[in-house]
Each structure stands twice: as C-alpha cells, then as structure tokens.
Amino acid sequence: MGSSGQLTSAAPGVDTARLEALLTEIEARLLTSAQGALHLIAEAEALTLPDSPVGGQLLCLRGAALFYCSEIEASAASFASARALGQRLGDAALEARALNGLGNVASQRGDYVGTLEHFLESARLAGAVGDEQGRLRVLNNIGVIRGELGEYEEALRTHREVIEGTRRIGDPLLESSARANAVMDLCLLGQYGAAIALADEQLLALSKAGVRQHEVVVQTYRAASLLELGQLEEALAAAERAQPLAEEIADHDHLCRLLVTRGRALQGLGEGQAATTVLTRALTLAQDLEFRLHERDAHRALSDVQEALGNLPAALMHLRAYLALQQAIHAQHVDRRTRLLTAQFQLEALRREADMERLRSEQLTRDNAALRQDHQLLAHRAAHDTLTGLANRAHFQAEVSRTLRRGADAGEGGMSAVLFIDLDGFKAVNDALGHDLGDELLRQVGARLRQHTRRGDLIARLGGDEFTVLLRELEEAQDATRVGEQLLGALCEPFTLDEHQVSVTASIGVAVAPADGSDLTTLQKHADAAMYRIKHSGKNGVGRFSGSFPGTDQRNPA
C-alpha cells in the first residue's frame, strides 16, 4: 500500500512516518516472531483510523500473526473483519488478502472445499485489480493444499510457478515461502536428495534474512529427508537445531514434526528411553492442538519404540491408536477428494491462465459460471432420475414432507394427494423388444405424465416401472381421482418405439392428505395399498385408498 493511502488512514495528529515504519516492521516480524508482531500491531492500531484501508491491513496482519500462533478462531475473526471492511470500502485488494487468510484458516480446520472457495475468490478479486502479488500469494497457498491432498507433483509444479512469478515482480519474501514449500514437496515426493540440496541452498540466505518461519519449514523437511535416507545422526542433529527455533516462534505444527523426527532418529540409534520421552511430548502436543496427522505418526513411532523395548502391551496400545487414526484420516481424505472435484476443475483453469494477465479475469468469470453450472448439474442429478429426468425417490419424499407440513400449517385449505402408478404389461414389452426400447418406453411415459399435470405438481420415478405424482393445493379430494383418470387415459394411448407400436395400461392408487394420512410414511403406504388393490383386481384402473376396502374403483372408460 502506498504512502498516500496510509496518510489518509492515520488518526488526526499521528506521526505518519512512524506508522509507515511500523507497517514495514510488522510485515518482516511476522515470520520471525509472531508474538512480537502482535505487540507492534497493537501500537500501529492506536495510530490508525479503524475503518480505513490501513486499519484493514492491520486486521489482516493480526490474523496472520494469530494464525502463526495457532490461535485459529481468533485468526478467523480478524480476517473476517478485514473482509467485511474491504467490502464496505470497496477495496478489492484488501478483500482479496482477507480471503486468502480465511482460506488458510479453512485449511487448518480441514475444510478443503471452503479453502479453495476462499482462494479462488481471492484470486478473482486480485486479478480484477491487477494485483499479481495477491494472485501469486493465493497460488502459493493452493500449492500447499495440493500437497496436503497428496498431489505432491502438482504442488511442486505450482510452487515452482510461484517462484518464477515472484522473481518477475521482485518479491523475495514470497519467493522464499514458495521455495520452502518446494523443499516440503520434494520430501513428500520421496526425492530426499533433491529436498536436502534445495534446503542447503536456501538455509544460508534464510539465516541472513532472519526469516525464521521459513527456516523452520526448510529445517523440518531437511531433517525428515535425512531420516528417510538413513542418515540418523545427521537427522537428529538437524531436528535438534531446528526445534528451539520452532518453539521460539510458536510454530507448533512443525514442532510436532520435528519431535517425531527426533524420536524416530533416537529409536534408530538405539536410544529407546530418550525416544519415548520425545515422542510422548509430540503426542501430547498433537492431541492438545488436534493435529491428527502428527498424533497418528507419534503413535506409530511410539509403537515401534515400545516393541523394541519389550513393552508389548504399550506397543499394542499405540498400534491400535495409530490404526484407528489412520482409518479415520483415510475416510476423511476420501470424502474431501470427492467433494473437491468441481472445485479442482476451477483450480486447474486458474493455473492455465496464470501468465495471461489480460485474459485471466475473463477466464475466471467463465470458470465461475461453469462451476455454478456444475453445482446446478450435481444438484439436479442428486434429485432426479437419470433415465427419465423426473424426480427421484429421495427428492420426491422430501417434497411430500414439505408439502404436508405446509398443509398442516394451512389447516383445512392445505389438501394434497399422492398417486402411485405401476405400469401393466411393461415386463412383456421389455422382454420382447429389449432393455433399450424398454428404457425408451419409460422415458415416453414420464413425458406423458408431465404433459397431463400442472406446473406445480411433482412427478417421480421410484425405480423400474413405478412412478408417483404429488398433487399440491387441491380444492377437493375428488380432484385427485380425476387427475388419476386423466393420466390413465393418456398412458393407454399407444407408444411408438422405433418401428414398433406398443400399448400398456396402468394401475393407479390415490391417497389424499390429510384425510388418508398426514405424514409421509402413512400417505405413501396408503397410496401404495390402493394401487395394489387395483393391480390385484384386474389392473388398468384408478382407486383411492379406503381404510375399510374396497375403495373407490374407477376403470378406464377406454
């Protein structure tokens, strides 16, 4: 943010030069001492008008500092306040930065769908105002999410793209973050030698710059890579060097990783008791902060250590805890992957347009429209039968329940009905002409049912040759039977299937609410019973449910 923007954001009589210096210092302090950054933020806030661009910038900085301190809920609140302020001020860059922070918070909570939604919206806003730094910041975080989903090669490719982009615009801090993430990607890909080489290349520069949060990340995955290569003493030394730094900046995530690496290295060196102490601390910290992945890894390592020490009951306890967590984490991972399919489509579109400044905003607009269409398509598929396009059983039952509730609220004026329709003779057509033409017959039946019902009524296919109709807002109960007769007449007309003409009839059962049932189960059961009465008494008719049976029986006049 430029000086002129900051001057208008300062409180009257405030030393604007001091405010400018504080903002610069806070940005640098975030990655070295989050707690120290919070103190500086409080000082800067006293010099700033709260409802101003700089006030919003400070909210984002506070959110980031709280995030690094693992105070996730407080971080979320700060970013949410910054976003709301950006919307009030019409400041798209501020809103984009706040959304990026909210994406990180959602990731920490395990909400990857929310994460990508926040990131994509942040990228869209950044692109709209030409904020390339904001776009790359989001892309860097998306790479982290890809890594957490196990897409390590794509994560590495994304972080390398960010590295190239930051070199073009001259943002060494963001470049440093992307390079640290690339070390992590290489380690998780099993390219341990490459991870160590990149880490060694970066560590000297990080130490000179004092960017301690990035240094912790690089040291953590360098130590893990050494461990996986069997260089136990080197891994132990690397983890021990990095641990005080992680503790100092309160990076509990990487502290847990370092403790597990230390414990595994100690166990490999035959120091079982020391390994138990370190791994128990890792487990306790992971449980306190609900870091389930670290908790799982600590249990696994403790199981190995206790087995080596001959403490088999403890080894078995930790192994069981590991397996339970592994199963839960796997199930959660599968669920997240399933729900992310459409969101990842947009993410890929965002990546493809990364270097096309002029086209990016247009592409994102198209992709957002495509995502909405995908959501609509998925919602439609979830509620409709794929063969006929009619409502499916679940959607139909939900609509009947809603209609009955509205009818109960309306009293006597809330009359509705359910018609159960079972085709007579469908199996013979299906057997004679084959399943493809049988399916075509079902589609044509659905189309005829639509033609002879009102816009506000609902038709569903329950499966096979069973259909059902919800009639809403009836004036009198007899209307339901009359509609059933109209549908029966329509279905008795011949159908053309390729060069074949076939005829079928139908058995239709009617139940009217509230007289024949005021809840979903009762109404459906009674309509079904009425339909079976017609089916067993000669077919090709319409009958309304009667508790005493026989019910009203209307034969097709044709």
mmCIF file of all heavy atoms in Angstrom, residues 359-403:
data_model
loop_
_atom_site.group_PDB
_atom_site.id
_atom_site.type_symbol
_atom_site.label_atom_id
_atom_site.label_comp_id
_atom_site.label_asym_id
_atom_site.label_seq_id
_atom_site.Cartn_x
_atom_site.Cartn_y
_atom_site.Cartn_z
ATOM 1 N N LEU A 359 -6.340 -11.982 -20.128
ATOM 2 C CA LEU A 359 -7.402 -12.965 -20.255
ATOM 3 C C LEU A 359 -7.825 -13.584 -18.927
ATOM 4 O O LEU A 359 -8.866 -14.222 -18.851
ATOM 5 C CB LEU A 359 -6.965 -14.104 -21.195
ATOM 6 C CG LEU A 359 -6.702 -13.710 -22.641
ATOM 7 C CD1 LEU A 359 -6.209 -14.904 -23.437
ATOM 8 C CD2 LEU A 359 -7.952 -13.122 -23.258
ATOM 9 N N ARG A 360 -7.022 -13.388 -17.894
ATOM 10 C CA ARG A 360 -7.275 -14.112 -16.634
ATOM 11 C C ARG A 360 -8.627 -13.755 -16.033
ATOM 12 O O ARG A 360 -9.381 -14.631 -15.595
ATOM 13 C CB ARG A 360 -6.167 -13.825 -15.631
ATOM 14 C CG ARG A 360 -6.318 -14.636 -14.346
ATOM 15 C CD ARG A 360 -5.090 -14.502 -13.438
ATOM 16 N NE ARG A 360 -4.854 -13.142 -13.042
ATOM 17 C CZ ARG A 360 -3.797 -12.440 -13.433
ATOM 18 N NH1 ARG A 360 -2.909 -12.973 -14.252
ATOM 19 N NH2 ARG A 360 -3.640 -11.193 -13.039
ATOM 20 N N SER A 361 -8.937 -12.477 -15.997
ATOM 21 C CA SER A 361 -10.202 -12.079 -15.390
ATOM 22 C C SER A 361 -11.386 -12.656 -16.156
ATOM 23 O O SER A 361 -12.344 -13.162 -15.559
ATOM 24 C CB SER A 361 -10.300 -10.547 -15.355
ATOM 25 O OG SER A 361 -11.527 -10.143 -14.784
ATOM 26 N N GLU A 362 -11.305 -12.621 -17.504
ATOM 27 C CA GLU A 362 -12.378 -13.196 -18.313
ATOM 28 C C GLU A 362 -12.483 -14.701 -18.095
ATOM 29 O O GLU A 362 -13.576 -15.263 -17.986
ATOM 30 C CB GLU A 362 -12.114 -12.908 -19.800
ATOM 31 C CG GLU A 362 -12.143 -11.432 -20.151
ATOM 32 C CD GLU A 362 -11.778 -11.195 -21.618
ATOM 33 O OE1 GLU A 362 -11.639 -12.217 -22.353
ATOM 34 O OE2 GLU A 362 -11.615 -10.031 -21.996
ATOM 35 N N GLN A 363 -11.324 -15.368 -18.000
ATOM 36 C CA GLN A 363 -11.335 -16.820 -17.821
ATOM 37 C C GLN A 363 -11.937 -17.194 -16.466
ATOM 38 O O GLN A 363 -12.709 -18.153 -16.353
ATOM 39 C CB GLN A 363 -9.911 -17.373 -17.915
ATOM 40 C CG GLN A 363 -9.825 -18.890 -17.790
ATOM 41 C CD GLN A 363 -10.509 -19.582 -18.941
ATOM 42 O OE1 GLN A 363 -10.317 -19.197 -20.092
ATOM 43 N NE2 GLN A 363 -11.320 -20.577 -18.652
ATOM 44 N N LEU A 364 -11.565 -16.431 -15.447
ATOM 45 C CA LEU A 364 -12.115 -16.721 -14.118
ATOM 46 C C LEU A 364 -13.621 -16.530 -14.092
ATOM 47 O O LEU A 364 -14.343 -17.285 -13.438
ATOM 48 C CB LEU A 364 -11.450 -15.821 -13.067
ATOM 49 C CG LEU A 364 -10.036 -16.220 -12.661
ATOM 50 C CD1 LEU A 364 -9.412 -15.146 -11.783
ATOM 51 C CD2 LEU A 364 -10.034 -17.551 -11.939
ATOM 52 N N THR A 365 -14.100 -15.519 -14.829
ATOM 53 C CA THR A 365 -15.548 -15.308 -14.897
ATOM 54 C C THR A 365 -16.228 -16.500 -15.555
ATOM 55 O O THR A 365 -17.256 -16.998 -15.070
ATOM 56 C CB THR A 365 -15.850 -14.026 -15.691
ATOM 57 O OG1 THR A 365 -15.236 -12.908 -15.031
ATOM 58 C CG2 THR A 365 -17.352 -13.791 -15.778
ATOM 59 N N ARG A 366 -15.638 -16.984 -16.636
ATOM 60 C CA ARG A 366 -16.210 -18.158 -17.312
ATOM 61 C C ARG A 366 -16.162 -19.386 -16.405
ATOM 62 O O ARG A 366 -17.098 -20.173 -16.350
ATOM 63 C CB ARG A 366 -15.459 -18.433 -18.616
ATOM 64 C CG ARG A 366 -15.729 -17.415 -19.708
ATOM 65 C CD ARG A 366 -15.262 -17.931 -21.053
ATOM 66 N NE ARG A 366 -13.820 -18.104 -21.100
ATOM 67 C CZ ARG A 366 -12.966 -17.157 -21.490
ATOM 68 N NH1 ARG A 366 -13.433 -15.959 -21.829
ATOM 69 N NH2 ARG A 366 -11.681 -17.389 -21.519
ATOM 70 N N ASP A 367 -15.039 -19.536 -15.711
ATOM 71 C CA ASP A 367 -14.912 -20.708 -14.840
ATOM 72 C C ASP A 367 -15.886 -20.661 -13.678
ATOM 73 O O ASP A 367 -16.418 -21.691 -13.250
ATOM 74 C CB ASP A 367 -13.479 -20.804 -14.304
ATOM 75 C CG ASP A 367 -12.490 -21.190 -15.398
ATOM 76 O OD1 ASP A 367 -12.932 -21.738 -16.423
ATOM 77 O OD2 ASP A 367 -11.296 -20.933 -15.220
ATOM 78 N N ASN A 368 -16.089 -19.437 -13.149
ATOM 79 C CA ASN A 368 -17.074 -19.326 -12.063
ATOM 80 C C ASN A 368 -18.468 -19.709 -12.546
ATOM 81 O O ASN A 368 -19.225 -20.376 -11.838
ATOM 82 C CB ASN A 368 -17.085 -17.888 -11.516
ATOM 83 C CG ASN A 368 -15.929 -17.626 -10.599
ATOM 84 O OD1 ASN A 368 -15.423 -18.528 -9.948
ATOM 85 N ND2 ASN A 368 -15.482 -16.375 -10.534
ATOM 86 N N ALA A 369 -18.797 -19.290 -13.779
ATOM 87 C CA ALA A 369 -20.100 -19.675 -14.339
ATOM 88 C C ALA A 369 -20.165 -21.185 -14.538
ATOM 89 O O ALA A 369 -21.183 -21.825 -14.264
ATOM 90 C CB ALA A 369 -20.328 -18.947 -15.666
ATOM 91 N N ALA A 370 -19.040 -21.771 -15.003
ATOM 92 C CA ALA A 370 -19.018 -23.229 -15.193
ATOM 93 C C ALA A 370 -19.179 -23.952 -13.868
ATOM 94 O O ALA A 370 -19.858 -24.976 -13.778
ATOM 95 C CB ALA A 370 -17.706 -23.636 -15.858
ATOM 96 N N LEU A 371 -18.553 -23.409 -12.819
ATOM 97 C CA LEU A 371 -18.685 -24.032 -11.504
ATOM 98 C C LEU A 371 -20.124 -23.978 -11.018
ATOM 99 O O LEU A 371 -20.644 -24.955 -10.475
ATOM 100 C CB LEU A 371 -17.764 -23.330 -10.500
ATOM 101 C CG LEU A 371 -17.774 -23.906 -9.076
ATOM 102 C CD1 LEU A 371 -17.360 -25.363 -9.079
ATOM 103 C CD2 LEU A 371 -16.867 -23.090 -8.167
ATOM 104 N N ARG A 372 -20.770 -22.822 -11.242
ATOM 105 C CA ARG A 372 -22.174 -22.736 -10.842
ATOM 106 C C ARG A 372 -23.018 -23.747 -11.618
ATOM 107 O O ARG A 372 -23.914 -24.382 -11.061
ATOM 108 C CB ARG A 372 -22.691 -21.311 -11.074
ATOM 109 C CG ARG A 372 -22.179 -20.304 -10.046
ATOM 110 C CD ARG A 372 -22.974 -19.004 -10.137
ATOM 111 N NE ARG A 372 -22.790 -18.347 -11.418
ATOM 112 C CZ ARG A 372 -21.813 -17.489 -11.681
ATOM 113 N NH1 ARG A 372 -20.919 -17.207 -10.760
ATOM 114 N NH2 ARG A 372 -21.728 -16.910 -12.880
ATOM 115 N N GLN A 373 -22.725 -23.885 -12.914
ATOM 116 C CA GLN A 373 -23.460 -24.869 -13.706
ATOM 117 C C GLN A 373 -23.190 -26.280 -13.204
ATOM 118 O O GLN A 373 -24.097 -27.122 -13.151
ATOM 119 C CB GLN A 373 -23.061 -24.754 -15.176
ATOM 120 C CG GLN A 373 -23.540 -23.465 -15.840
ATOM 121 C CD GLN A 373 -22.976 -23.303 -17.245
ATOM 122 O OE1 GLN A 373 -22.209 -24.128 -17.716
ATOM 123 N NE2 GLN A 373 -23.345 -22.216 -17.902
ATOM 124 N N ASP A 374 -21.921 -26.539 -12.827
ATOM 125 C CA ASP A 374 -21.599 -27.861 -12.289
ATOM 126 C C ASP A 374 -22.366 -28.112 -11.004
ATOM 127 O O ASP A 374 -22.888 -29.210 -10.773
ATOM 128 C CB ASP A 374 -20.093 -27.970 -12.009
ATOM 129 C CG ASP A 374 -19.299 -28.129 -13.300
ATOM 130 O OD1 ASP A 374 -19.916 -28.450 -14.336
ATOM 131 O OD2 ASP A 374 -18.080 -27.928 -13.256
ATOM 132 N N HIS A 375 -22.413 -27.084 -10.142
ATOM 133 C CA HIS A 375 -23.170 -27.243 -8.897
ATOM 134 C C HIS A 375 -24.640 -27.512 -9.203
ATOM 135 O O HIS A 375 -25.278 -28.364 -8.562
ATOM 136 C CB HIS A 375 -23.040 -25.984 -8.032
ATOM 137 C CG HIS A 375 -21.754 -25.909 -7.268
ATOM 138 N ND1 HIS A 375 -21.340 -26.885 -6.401
ATOM 139 C CD2 HIS A 375 -20.783 -24.955 -7.222
ATOM 140 C CE1 HIS A 375 -20.184 -26.554 -5.862
ATOM 141 N NE2 HIS A 375 -19.815 -25.390 -6.355
ATOM 142 N N GLN A 376 -25.175 -26.769 -10.177
ATOM 143 C CA GLN A 376 -26.581 -26.980 -10.537
ATOM 144 C C GLN A 376 -26.793 -28.366 -11.113
ATOM 145 O O GLN A 376 -27.787 -29.038 -10.811
ATOM 146 C CB GLN A 376 -27.019 -25.904 -11.540
ATOM 147 C CG GLN A 376 -27.076 -24.497 -10.950
ATOM 148 C CD GLN A 376 -27.212 -23.431 -12.023
ATOM 149 O OE1 GLN A 376 -27.244 -23.740 -13.216
ATOM 150 N NE2 GLN A 376 -27.282 -22.176 -11.611
ATOM 151 N N LEU A 377 -25.840 -28.804 -11.953
ATOM 152 C CA LEU A 377 -25.960 -30.135 -12.542
ATOM 153 C C LEU A 377 -25.879 -31.212 -11.474
ATOM 154 O O LEU A 377 -26.666 -32.168 -11.474
ATOM 155 C CB LEU A 377 -24.851 -30.333 -13.584
ATOM 156 C CG LEU A 377 -24.799 -31.715 -14.266
ATOM 157 C CD1 LEU A 377 -26.109 -31.984 -14.993
ATOM 158 C CD2 LEU A 377 -23.613 -31.787 -15.215
ATOM 159 N N LEU A 378 -24.916 -31.046 -10.553
ATOM 160 C CA LEU A 378 -24.787 -32.035 -9.487
ATOM 161 C C LEU A 378 -26.021 -32.053 -8.604
ATOM 162 O O LEU A 378 -26.499 -33.119 -8.194
ATOM 163 C CB LEU A 378 -23.539 -31.724 -8.641
ATOM 164 C CG LEU A 378 -22.197 -31.973 -9.331
ATOM 165 C CD1 LEU A 378 -21.062 -31.446 -8.478
ATOM 166 C CD2 LEU A 378 -22.005 -33.451 -9.624
ATOM 167 N N ALA A 379 -26.557 -30.860 -8.323
ATOM 168 C CA ALA A 379 -27.771 -30.797 -7.506
ATOM 169 C C ALA A 379 -28.941 -31.452 -8.235
ATOM 170 O O ALA A 379 -29.748 -32.167 -7.632
ATOM 171 C CB ALA A 379 -28.103 -29.346 -7.169
ATOM 172 N N HIS A 380 -29.024 -31.203 -9.556
ATOM 173 C CA HIS A 380 -30.103 -31.816 -10.344
ATOM 174 C C HIS A 380 -29.958 -33.333 -10.358
ATOM 175 O O HIS A 380 -30.932 -34.070 -10.164
ATOM 176 C CB HIS A 380 -30.073 -31.274 -11.774
ATOM 177 C CG HIS A 380 -31.198 -31.774 -12.636
ATOM 178 N ND1 HIS A 380 -31.109 -32.945 -13.352
ATOM 179 C CD2 HIS A 380 -32.448 -31.272 -12.874
ATOM 180 C CE1 HIS A 380 -32.238 -33.160 -14.005
ATOM 181 N NE2 HIS A 380 -33.068 -32.151 -13.741
ATOM 182 N N ARG A 381 -28.720 -33.813 -10.559
ATOM 183 C CA ARG A 381 -28.504 -35.259 -10.601
ATOM 184 C C ARG A 381 -28.808 -35.906 -9.256
ATOM 185 O O ARG A 381 -29.282 -37.038 -9.198
ATOM 186 C CB ARG A 381 -27.063 -35.556 -11.004
ATOM 187 C CG ARG A 381 -26.796 -35.294 -12.482
ATOM 188 C CD ARG A 381 -25.357 -35.595 -12.835
ATOM 189 N NE ARG A 381 -25.121 -35.427 -14.261
ATOM 190 C CZ ARG A 381 -23.928 -35.539 -14.832
ATOM 191 N NH1 ARG A 381 -22.866 -35.807 -14.097
ATOM 192 N NH2 ARG A 381 -23.800 -35.379 -16.135
ATOM 193 N N ALA A 382 -28.507 -35.188 -8.193
ATOM 194 C CA ALA A 382 -28.768 -35.745 -6.863
ATOM 195 C C ALA A 382 -30.252 -35.877 -6.593
ATOM 196 O O ALA A 382 -30.664 -36.666 -5.738
ATOM 197 C CB ALA A 382 -28.117 -34.864 -5.803
ATOM 198 N N ALA A 383 -31.082 -35.084 -7.309
ATOM 199 C CA ALA A 383 -32.515 -35.070 -7.014
ATOM 200 C C ALA A 383 -33.351 -35.705 -8.115
ATOM 201 O O ALA A 383 -34.567 -35.784 -7.970
ATOM 202 C CB ALA A 383 -32.988 -33.629 -6.794
ATOM 203 N N HIS A 384 -32.722 -36.163 -9.207
ATOM 204 C CA HIS A 384 -33.507 -36.623 -10.351
ATOM 205 C C HIS A 384 -33.043 -37.982 -10.854
ATOM 206 O O HIS A 384 -31.876 -38.359 -10.716
ATOM 207 C CB HIS A 384 -33.443 -35.597 -11.491
ATOM 208 C CG HIS A 384 -34.173 -34.329 -11.177
ATOM 209 N ND1 HIS A 384 -33.645 -33.354 -10.355
ATOM 210 C CD2 HIS A 384 -35.407 -33.894 -11.533
ATOM 211 C CE1 HIS A 384 -34.519 -32.357 -10.234
ATOM 212 N NE2 HIS A 384 -35.584 -32.658 -10.937
ATOM 213 N N ASP A 385 -33.971 -38.687 -11.450
ATOM 214 C CA ASP A 385 -33.731 -39.979 -12.073
ATOM 215 C C ASP A 385 -32.969 -39.767 -13.380
ATOM 216 O O ASP A 385 -33.364 -38.959 -14.228
ATOM 217 C CB ASP A 385 -35.082 -40.659 -12.338
ATOM 218 C CG ASP A 385 -34.946 -41.909 -13.174
ATOM 219 O OD1 ASP A 385 -34.117 -42.756 -12.816
ATOM 220 O OD2 ASP A 385 -35.675 -42.033 -14.174
ATOM 221 N N THR A 386 -31.872 -40.505 -13.546
ATOM 222 C CA THR A 386 -31.014 -40.267 -14.714
ATOM 223 C C THR A 386 -31.663 -40.716 -16.013
ATOM 224 O O THR A 386 -31.342 -40.182 -17.080
ATOM 225 C CB THR A 386 -29.680 -41.001 -14.544
ATOM 226 O OG1 THR A 386 -29.929 -42.397 -14.300
ATOM 227 C CG2 THR A 386 -28.892 -40.435 -13.370
ATOM 228 N N LEU A 387 -32.573 -41.683 -15.982
ATOM 229 C CA LEU A 387 -33.172 -42.189 -17.210
ATOM 230 C C LEU A 387 -34.250 -41.248 -17.739
ATOM 231 O O LEU A 387 -34.265 -40.894 -18.921
ATOM 232 C CB LEU A 387 -33.763 -43.581 -16.965
ATOM 233 C CG LEU A 387 -34.500 -44.212 -18.155
ATOM 234 C CD1 LEU A 387 -33.535 -44.460 -19.303
ATOM 235 C CD2 LEU A 387 -35.191 -45.508 -17.744
ATOM 236 N N THR A 388 -35.167 -40.822 -16.868
ATOM 237 C CA THR A 388 -36.330 -40.053 -17.323
ATOM 238 C C THR A 388 -36.228 -38.558 -17.058
ATOM 239 O O THR A 388 -36.996 -37.778 -17.614
ATOM 240 C CB THR A 388 -37.598 -40.569 -16.626
ATOM 241 O OG1 THR A 388 -37.464 -40.355 -15.203
ATOM 242 C CG2 THR A 388 -37.808 -42.049 -16.886
ATOM 243 N N GLY A 389 -35.308 -38.144 -16.187
ATOM 244 C CA GLY A 389 -35.230 -36.737 -15.805
ATOM 245 C C GLY A 389 -36.271 -36.339 -14.780
ATOM 246 O O GLY A 389 -36.330 -35.178 -14.358
ATOM 247 N N LEU A 390 -37.087 -37.285 -14.346
ATOM 248 C CA LEU A 390 -38.069 -36.994 -13.298
ATOM 249 C C LEU A 390 -37.382 -36.965 -11.940
ATOM 250 O O LEU A 390 -36.233 -37.381 -11.789
ATOM 251 C CB LEU A 390 -39.171 -38.071 -13.301
ATOM 252 C CG LEU A 390 -39.969 -38.241 -14.599
ATOM 253 C CD1 LEU A 390 -40.918 -39.417 -14.467
ATOM 254 C CD2 LEU A 390 -40.734 -36.964 -14.943
ATOM 255 N N ALA A 391 -38.121 -36.494 -10.930
ATOM 256 C CA ALA A 391 -37.589 -36.523 -9.575
ATOM 257 C C ALA A 391 -37.310 -37.969 -9.171
ATOM 258 O O ALA A 391 -37.981 -38.899 -9.638
ATOM 259 C CB ALA A 391 -38.577 -35.887 -8.602
ATOM 260 N N ASN A 392 -36.284 -38.155 -8.300
ATOM 261 C CA ASN A 392 -36.044 -39.499 -7.773
ATOM 262 C C ASN A 392 -36.766 -39.686 -6.439
ATOM 263 O O ASN A 392 -37.426 -38.771 -5.937
ATOM 264 C CB ASN A 392 -34.547 -39.778 -7.647
ATOM 265 C CG ASN A 392 -33.842 -38.811 -6.706
ATOM 266 O OD1 ASN A 392 -34.470 -38.168 -5.865
ATOM 267 N ND2 ASN A 392 -32.531 -38.699 -6.840
ATOM 268 N N ARG A 393 -36.621 -40.864 -5.866
ATOM 269 C CA ARG A 393 -37.363 -41.191 -4.647
ATOM 270 C C ARG A 393 -37.048 -40.219 -3.512
ATOM 271 O O ARG A 393 -37.954 -39.705 -2.843
ATOM 272 C CB ARG A 393 -37.034 -42.622 -4.207
ATOM 273 C CG ARG A 393 -37.793 -43.081 -2.962
ATOM 274 C CD ARG A 393 -37.296 -44.436 -2.493
ATOM 275 N NE ARG A 393 -37.496 -45.473 -3.472
ATOM 276 C CZ ARG A 393 -38.588 -46.213 -3.556
ATOM 277 N NH1 ARG A 393 -39.595 -46.026 -2.696
ATOM 278 N NH2 ARG A 393 -38.689 -47.158 -4.474
ATOM 279 N N ALA A 394 -35.754 -39.953 -3.274
ATOM 280 C CA ALA A 394 -35.376 -39.103 -2.137
ATOM 281 C C ALA A 394 -35.941 -37.694 -2.285
ATOM 282 O O ALA A 394 -36.479 -37.118 -1.333
ATOM 283 C CB ALA A 394 -33.858 -39.061 -2.005
ATOM 284 N N HIS A 395 -35.824 -37.131 -3.485
ATOM 285 C CA HIS A 395 -36.326 -35.778 -3.708
ATOM 286 C C HIS A 395 -37.846 -35.738 -3.571
ATOM 287 O O HIS A 395 -38.410 -34.811 -2.976
ATOM 288 C CB HIS A 395 -35.898 -35.301 -5.093
ATOM 289 C CG HIS A 395 -36.338 -33.898 -5.421
ATOM 290 N ND1 HIS A 395 -36.076 -32.830 -4.591
ATOM 291 C CD2 HIS A 395 -37.035 -33.400 -6.480
ATOM 292 C CE1 HIS A 395 -36.589 -31.730 -5.129
ATOM 293 N NE2 HIS A 395 -37.185 -32.060 -6.258
ATOM 294 N N PHE A 396 -38.506 -36.747 -4.123
ATOM 295 C CA PHE A 396 -39.967 -36.803 -4.039
ATOM 296 C C PHE A 396 -40.422 -36.863 -2.582
ATOM 297 O O PHE A 396 -41.328 -36.129 -2.166
ATOM 298 C CB PHE A 396 -40.479 -38.019 -4.808
ATOM 299 C CG PHE A 396 -41.977 -38.125 -4.831
ATOM 300 C CD1 PHE A 396 -42.735 -37.397 -5.735
ATOM 301 C CD2 PHE A 396 -42.644 -38.951 -3.927
ATOM 302 C CE1 PHE A 396 -44.127 -37.490 -5.747
ATOM 303 C CE2 PHE A 396 -44.024 -39.047 -3.932
ATOM 304 C CZ PHE A 396 -44.768 -38.313 -4.848
ATOM 305 N N GLN A 397 -39.789 -37.732 -1.801
ATOM 306 C CA GLN A 397 -40.192 -37.864 -0.397
ATOM 307 C C GLN A 397 -39.970 -36.570 0.378
ATOM 308 O O GLN A 397 -40.794 -36.175 1.212
ATOM 309 C CB GLN A 397 -39.433 -39.022 0.251
ATOM 310 C CG GLN A 397 -39.867 -40.385 -0.266
ATOM 311 C CD GLN A 397 -39.077 -41.517 0.343
ATOM 312 O OE1 GLN A 397 -37.942 -41.339 0.815
ATOM 313 N NE2 GLN A 397 -39.657 -42.712 0.350
ATOM 314 N N ALA A 398 -38.854 -35.891 0.080
ATOM 315 C CA ALA A 398 -38.595 -34.619 0.755
ATOM 316 C C ALA A 398 -39.660 -33.582 0.403
ATOM 317 O O ALA A 398 -40.137 -32.828 1.274
ATOM 318 C CB ALA A 398 -37.207 -34.106 0.373
ATOM 319 N N GLU A 399 -40.068 -33.540 -0.882
ATOM 320 C CA GLU A 399 -41.087 -32.576 -1.299
ATOM 321 C C GLU A 399 -42.449 -32.915 -0.702
ATOM 322 O O GLU A 399 -43.215 -32.023 -0.330
ATOM 323 C CB GLU A 399 -41.171 -32.548 -2.830
ATOM 324 C CG GLU A 399 -40.006 -31.836 -3.491
ATOM 325 C CD GLU A 399 -39.918 -30.379 -3.055
ATOM 326 O OE1 GLU A 399 -40.949 -29.682 -3.070
ATOM 327 O OE2 GLU A 399 -38.820 -29.961 -2.679
ATOM 328 N N VAL A 400 -42.782 -34.210 -0.615
ATOM 329 C CA VAL A 400 -44.048 -34.589 0.022
ATOM 330 C C VAL A 400 -44.060 -34.145 1.473
ATOM 331 O O VAL A 400 -45.056 -33.584 1.962
ATOM 332 C CB VAL A 400 -44.280 -36.113 -0.089
ATOM 333 C CG1 VAL A 400 -45.492 -36.532 0.755
ATOM 334 C CG2 VAL A 400 -44.499 -36.516 -1.537
ATOM 335 N N SER A 401 -42.957 -34.369 2.174
ATOM 336 C CA SER A 401 -42.885 -33.960 3.582
ATOM 337 C C SER A 401 -43.071 -32.460 3.725
ATOM 338 O O SER A 401 -43.804 -31.984 4.608
ATOM 339 C CB SER A 401 -41.542 -34.388 4.184
ATOM 340 O OG SER A 401 -41.443 -35.788 4.230
ATOM 341 N N ARG A 402 -42.417 -31.678 2.847
ATOM 342 C CA ARG A 402 -42.566 -30.221 2.923
ATOM 343 C C ARG A 402 -44.002 -29.804 2.618
ATOM 344 O O ARG A 402 -44.557 -28.916 3.281
ATOM 345 C CB ARG A 402 -41.603 -29.551 1.945
ATOM 346 C CG ARG A 402 -40.197 -29.386 2.473
ATOM 347 C CD ARG A 402 -39.384 -28.444 1.606
ATOM 348 N NE ARG A 402 -38.958 -29.096 0.386
ATOM 349 C CZ ARG A 402 -37.826 -29.788 0.265
ATOM 350 N NH1 ARG A 402 -37.029 -29.918 1.296
ATOM 351 N NH2 ARG A 402 -37.488 -30.355 -0.888
ATOM 352 N N THR A 403 -44.608 -30.443 1.632
ATOM 353 C CA THR A 403 -45.991 -30.106 1.274
ATOM 354 C C THR A 403 -46.947 -30.434 2.414
ATOM 355 O O THR A 403 -47.860 -29.657 2.716
ATOM 356 C CB THR A 403 -46.399 -30.874 0.006
ATOM 357 O OG1 THR A 403 -45.522 -30.492 -1.066
ATOM 358 C CG2 THR A 403 -47.836 -30.563 -0.387
#
